[in-house]
Amino acid sequence: MKMLKYAWQSGPKQRNRWLWHLSNQIWKRSYSSKIRNIGILAHIDAGKTTTTERMLFYAGKTRALGEVHRGNTVTDYLTQERERGITICSSAVTFPWNDHRINLLDTPGHIDFTMEVEQSLYAVDGVVVVLDGTAGVEAQTVTVWSQADKHKLPRLIFVNKMDRPDADFEKCVSDLKDKLETQPVCLQYPVKNEDGVLAINDVITLERLSWQQKDLGRSYRNVKLEPSDDLRVLQEKRNELIDQLSGLDDELADVVISTESFDNVDNALIERALRRATTQQKVVPVLLGSAYKNVGIQRLMDAVNAYLPAPEERNQIYDCFGTEVAGKVFKIVHDKQRGPLTLVRILRGEIKRGMRLISARGQAEVVSKLYEPLADEYREVGAVQSGDVVICAGLKSTVTGDLLTSSQSALKNAQKRYKQSLGDTASKAEEDDELDESAELFAIDPQIPDAVYFCSIEPPNVSSQTAMEQALKQLQREDPSLRVSYDSVTGQTVLGGMGELHMDIIKSRILSEYKIDVDLGPLQIAYKETIEAPALTTLSVEKEIAGSKQSVSVTLEVVKNQAELFSLDKSPENLPNLNTLRPRILQVLRKGSISALERGPRVGGQVVETQIRLHNATIGRGTADSFVMATAAQCVQKLLSTSGTRLLEPIMALQIVAPSERISGIIADLSRRRAHINDVLPKGERNKIILVNAPLAELSGYSSALRTISSGTASMTMQPCGFSSMNSVDESLAERRAQGLE
């Protein structure tokens, strides 16, 4: 009001400027209220992509229905997706529906691509979880549900494939209560005629909805139910819905109490109460249909508009940016013509073509072009408002998870305002939640899950090495869960990822997109070696090289020691001779001796827990340093062969989280892998954590084996935790593997 009074008293020019600013803000808020940013989540093969294709078709974005089995869907545009019939990369599409704009992210359902789902959830305000009506809540459904819980996202449930004879709607609802511990509210119930054709009874309107297949489900009839047993049952369901919602919504409760009847509650009031309860995550509306048979999709889109929140209803944490730009990078893709394309969810402000942006890491970028997303098709736009999703071209150093804003000062001011707002939190618990959100808000690096599957990658020839490294670099920018490292011991380029399918897709993409036929191989185990017993020897070498006599005699000893690698034997009989050696010669002897520890005699592993002691050395005049170094290395190699070495194998520390009923099967499998169970601890009401150490050699493909044993319900993390000695049988097996005989 002070601003209004000041503007009004400042003359016509200031008054007009303020009125223009006010009308602009009102328009932006009105525009934002008509946007729905949603993700579509499910277990693999539940029908996410088919549902998305129907939405695009009925919204008028596509002219023909795409089918997964035909490989012609809009959102599954990668060659690997169309060949395998699964979603691998999340893709964004935008379409209008009933005066609203829906930005939808179609996500993968396979556990190997969980990171794609995690990235997408940063960009959405609500999600649609698709269930297979014949299977109910499955393993990956639980995973994506917990991810949505983490992001505090309101949800709708769409029970798909309800046309099939073995579909069980009641079981799906029961699974939602038991396995996901949520409060579902059924807005529809299935009904089939004598021919098995699916129709839907709407609980709120008391209508029967039936779809016309002649026009591919574009139109449907809604008919009021005549007095019958079906109507009576549906009225009871409506009363149960009102009763359930009145316990959660004050406005609806007041109407029910004042009218003393459920029959007088109008539909609009129920829908408003349902919207409030859904956005506050108190209930989860359940709808049904069959995407493949073109049933129920339009009502699902109506429910998205009606019950899921607009951008302005969420992300109040970003209010600290005021009118400045704030955008979250949630995905990067590489286009052959346009280069790297960055998908950004605009949280505050407006992004325009040619605008300069700053990432939270301090990198300055210029937006060369803006595109509206439609999977791998792009429509150029000039500017995009707050609440929308946009594709930015020209951002070269931005990575997934970056927060983009208009300037470094805008970021610092936002952080300052946010810290001031923390002082007003009502309780310690709320303050902790705010701090967690702050860490997520201003985080520089995205939270990337640990790799659970490793393999080596080799180019077809030396000339392709640089191209392969560049391809891996681009794929890493697209997919942060892909880890690339170089093992200097084995000389291998090592890939780490979320599973065997993940690695197989990476190989396939390098071939199809970068034309490099790489080979994926098993990870070469980097064994180490240690001496069995101390040994002492003298090596004397004389040789004439290019007319110059080279002469070295050196006495060395190897002993068990974890401290220094090289030392001098300072016994009275050796010390006088060692004192005559120049520091440069001692350095050459040290370097040659230690270099011999890099490759042991058994499998070529590094020799550890071993110290080399110099007892005596006689160097002839004019002997080259390289000759001295080589003699010292040969002497150490002779000692290692004489004393004999034992193999040490790398050990991995695993944390396995699984339901209690799966623990015995997992432990039985681990015992066959020479694992040592450290502890089994409870985690929540249903799960347990197994803490275990196991040899890396026994964990090849273990992530896939664990999914099989646990029916996809277990998860694991793995990290190195040192080396351990082996028995003679396992040593022999390791030697045969190293020689390529196993």
Side-chain angles (χ1 to χ4, degrees):
M1 293 301 293
K2 288 181 180 179
M3 288 179 64
L4 177 61
K5 185 177 180 182
Y6 171 77
W8 218 257
Q9 292 174 351
S10 299
K13 189 174 181 179
Q14 183 70 19
R15 187 186 311 149
N16 291 338
R17 185 182 299 167
W18 190 89
L19 288 172
W20 177 87
H21 175 75
L22 179 63
S23 63
N24 190 43
Q25 291 299 315
I26 292 172
W27 178 84
K28 286 181 179 179
R29 183 166 288 273
S30 173
Y31 172 81
S32 177
S33 68
K34 295 293 185 180
I35 293 175
R36 297 294 182 270
N37 296 308
I38 65 168
I40 188 161
L41 314 177
H43 187 85
I44 191 168
D45 287 337
K48 299 179 302 302
T49 302
T50 305
T51 302
T52 303
E53 289 297 318
R54 270 46 181 181
M55 288 181 172
L56 292 171
F57 180 69
Y58 298 136
K61 270 288 185 179
T62 58
R63 296 182 179 179
L65 285 173
E67 301 290 358
V68 172
H69 60 272
R70 291 178 187 162
N72 62 349
T73 57
V74 171
T75 52
D76 285 353
Y77 57 85
L78 290 178
T79 306
Q80 294 77 16
E81 292 178 315
R82 292 182 170 177
E83 287 175 352
R84 296 167 186 263
I86 61 171
T87 302
I88 293 167
C89 294
S90 55
S91 53
V93 291
T94 299
F95 56 89
W97 184 253
N98 288 351
D99 199 30
H100 285 70
R101 174 187 173 95
I102 298 177
N103 297 318
L104 183 146
L105 299 181
D106 183 19
T107 64
H110 198 284
I111 192 169
D112 279 17
F113 308 107
T114 297
M115 187 65 191
E116 288 283 337
V117 180
E118 186 69 25
Q119 290 173 214
S120 301
L121 295 184
Y122 284 107
V124 301
D125 301 311
V127 297
V128 176
V129 179
V130 179
L131 295 187
D132 183 338
T134 66
V137 173
E138 299 173 86
Q140 188 64 3
T141 315
V142 178
T143 302
V144 296
W145 191 271
S146 64
Q147 288 177 296
D149 275 337
K150 172 188 167 185
H151 291 268
K152 301 178 182 177
L153 291 168
R155 272 147 274 189
L156 297 178
I157 300 289
F158 180 65
V159 183
N160 194 24
K161 304 184 182 181
M162 284 305 302
D163 60 301
R164 289 175 49 170
D166 55 342
D168 190 338
F169 184 72
E170 296 297 337
K171 178 185 178 299
C172 291
V173 175
S174 176
D175 278 357
L176 290 170
K177 295 176 182 176
D178 297 338
K179 295 183 180 180
L180 300 181
E181 298 177 353
T182 189
Q183 190 170 357
V185 289
C186 299
L187 307 186
Q188 299 171 342
Y189 283 88
V191 59
K192 294 180 181 178
N193 62 17
E194 58 275 8
D195 297 325
V197 177
L198 176 67
I200 295 174
N201 285 342
D202 190 294
V203 172
I204 296 178
T205 62
L206 301 178
E207 295 175 335
R208 177 162 295 174
L209 314 174
S210 55
W211 272 257
Q212 309 299 312
Q213 296 305 319
K214 293 179 181 178
D215 60 353
L216 300 176
R218 281 194 182 93
S219 61
Y220 63 93
R221 291 189 307 145
N222 46 338
V223 179
K224 281 283 186 183
L225 285 174
E226 298 294 331
S228 62
D229 290 343
D230 285 350
L231 178 60
R232 187 169 62 255
V233 170
L234 208 57
Q235 284 174 328
E236 290 176 3
K237 297 291 185 185
R238 186 177 189 270
N239 293 343
E240 289 173 9
L241 174 64
I242 295 170
D243 186 37
Q244 188 175 357
L245 289 175
S246 62
L248 303 170
D249 187 80
D250 292 341
E251 182 186 353
L252 181 60
D254 291 342
V255 172
V256 170
I257 293 169
S258 61
T259 59
E260 298 183 350
S261 170
F262 290 149
D263 297 333
N264 297 327
V265 178
D266 63 42
N267 297 341
L269 182 59
I270 297 173
E271 289 174 356
R272 288 199 301 273
L274 187 56
R275 176 181 176 78
R276 286 189 289 268
T278 304
T279 55
Q280 294 167 15
Q281 300 170 65
K282 294 178 180 178
V283 298
V284 179
V286 180
L287 299 98
L288 64 95
S290 171
Y292 185 65
K293 291 296 181 69
N294 312 317
V295 174
I297 303 301
Q298 293 95 328
R299 296 307 285 258
L300 174 61
M301 291 192 284
D302 290 341
V304 166
N305 290 345
Y307 306 129
L308 291 182
E312 63 195 32
E313 297 175 76
R314 283 180 54 82
N315 298 312
Q316 282 81 11
I317 185 175
Y318 291 96
D319 288 342
C320 58
F321 283 90
T323 57
E324 298 286 352
V325 171
K328 193 81 169 180
V329 176
F330 65 93
K331 187 170 176 60
I332 296 172
V333 296
H334 281 81
D335 184 82
K336 290 179 181 178
Q337 282 77 35
R338 299 174 179 86
L341 299 175
T342 306
L343 278 77
V344 181
R345 164 69 193 274
I346 306 175
L347 299 155
R348 292 293 180 271
E350 179 184 29
I351 293 182
K352 299 178 181 178
R353 185 176 53 230
M355 193 173 190
R356 185 174 181 269
L357 298 175
I358 300 287
S359 73
R361 294 178 296 112
Q363 296 280 351
E365 304 268 30
V366 176
V367 180
S368 59
K369 289 184 179 180
L370 294 173
Y371 299 100
E372 180 185 88
L374 184 63
D376 62 337
E377 299 176 19
Y378 310 99
R379 185 176 71 86
E380 193 170 341
V381 293
V384 180
Q385 304 289 338
S386 171
D388 226 329
V389 172
V390 67
I391 298 174
C392 299
L395 307 186
K396 296 178 181 177
S397 57
T398 301
V399 297
T400 302
D402 269 356
L403 181 72
L404 300 176
T405 187
S406 50
S407 65
Q408 201 69 36
S409 61
L411 180 64
K412 289 179 180 177
N413 291 336
Q415 289 174 319
K416 200 177 293 181
R417 292 190 203 104
Y418 186 77
K419 287 177 182 176
Q420 290 172 352
S421 71
L422 284 181
D424 302 328
T425 50
S427 68
K428 181 70 169 65
E430 287 181 18
E431 189 172 343
D432 290 341
D433 287 343
E434 294 286 345
L435 287 170
D436 289 342
E437 288 182 339
S438 174
E440 198 72 58
L441 169 58
F442 300 110
I444 293 176
D445 296 318
Q447 294 181 350
I448 303 171
D450 293 328
V452 297
Y453 184 84
F454 299 89
C455 66
S456 64
I457 182 169
E458 301 290 343
N461 48 59
V462 177
S463 61
S464 301
Q465 179 72 32
T466 304
M468 183 191 79
E469 290 173 357
Q470 189 62 33
L472 288 173
K473 189 176 180 181
Q474 291 189 358
L475 289 171
Q476 247 190 313
R477 196 176 173 204
E478 285 188 37
D479 180 7
S481 64
L482 174 65
R483 309 292 182 91
V484 182
S485 60
Y486 179 75
D487 190 330
S488 58
V489 177
T490 62
Q492 292 180 310
T493 301
V494 178
L495 297 186
M498 306 310 296
E500 291 176 72
L501 179 61
H502 187 194
M503 294 296 99
D504 195 27
I505 295 298
I506 293 297
K507 176 186 176 180
S508 181
R509 288 191 64 187
I510 291 174
L511 176 60
S512 62
E513 296 174 28
Y514 301 94
K515 310 304 179 189
I516 308 170
D517 190 10
V518 298
D519 289 321
L520 295 184
L523 196 62
Q524 188 173 328
I525 307 299
Y527 293 102
K528 292 187 178 182
E529 302 182 32
T530 187
I531 61 170
E532 286 194 88
L536 175 71
T537 192
T538 299
L539 180 65
S540 299
V541 181
E542 287 188 9
K543 202 168 188 178
E544 189 172 319
I545 301 176
S548 175
K549 185 179 179 182
Q550 309 287 314
S551 174
V552 177
S553 177
V554 62
T555 302
L556 296 173
E557 181 186 16
V558 289
V559 294
K560 278 276 199 180
N561 196 317
Q562 296 187 11
E564 292 181 89
L565 290 175
F566 185 85
S567 68
L568 303 180
D569 180 48
K570 297 182 180 179
S571 58
E573 63 270 19
N574 293 327
L575 192 57
N577 175 268
L578 295 177
N579 286 337
T580 63
L581 296 174
R582 287 173 294 171
R584 184 177 59 80
I585 293 297
L586 287 175
Q587 192 63 32
V588 170
L589 287 167
R590 183 182 189 278
K591 190 173 181 181
S593 300
I594 291 176
S595 67
L597 296 180
E598 292 300 318
R599 291 188 64 83
R602 296 191 67 172
V603 295
Q606 183 186 13
V607 181
V608 296
E609 300 175 6
T610 301
Q611 185 185 71
I612 303 166
R613 285 183 187 165
L614 175 62
H615 284 254
N616 203 345
T618 304
I619 313 296
R621 184 182 296 274
T623 302
D625 289 352
S626 58
F627 192 82
V628 176
M629 191 183 299
T631 304
Q634 287 177 30
C635 186
V636 173
Q637 288 168 356
K638 181 181 176 183
L639 282 168
L640 293 176
S641 300
T642 303
S643 68
T645 59
R646 298 294 306 272
L647 293 186
L648 301 175
E649 62 179 341
I651 301 296
M652 307 299 286
L654 285 79
Q655 278 195 359
I656 301 170
V657 180
S660 301
E661 62 271 16
R662 303 287 183 180
I663 295 297
S664 59
I666 293 170
I667 291 177
D669 179 70
L670 286 170
S671 65
R672 292 191 290 270
R673 297 174 183 270
R674 299 189 288 123
H676 175 71
I677 310 296
N678 296 322
D679 208 347
V680 179
L681 303 171
K683 181 179 173 64
E685 295 181 3
R686 297 173 177 268
N687 296 332
K688 288 186 178 179
I689 299 179
I690 308 173
L691 303 178
V692 58
N693 290 351
L696 178 59
E698 300 290 342
L699 296 176
S700 177
Y702 181 65
S703 57
S704 299
L706 180 63
R707 290 173 199 160
T708 303
I709 296 167
S710 65
S711 299
T713 58
S715 62
M716 62 169 276
T717 58
M718 180 168 59
Q719 61 184 12
C721 74
F723 287 76
S724 175
S725 58
M726 306 170 67
N727 60 46
S728 56
V729 176
D730 293 329
E731 281 186 337
S732 299
L733 185 59
E735 284 187 271
R736 290 178 62 81
R737 282 177 181 161
Q739 294 164 2
L741 301 175
E742 287 287 340

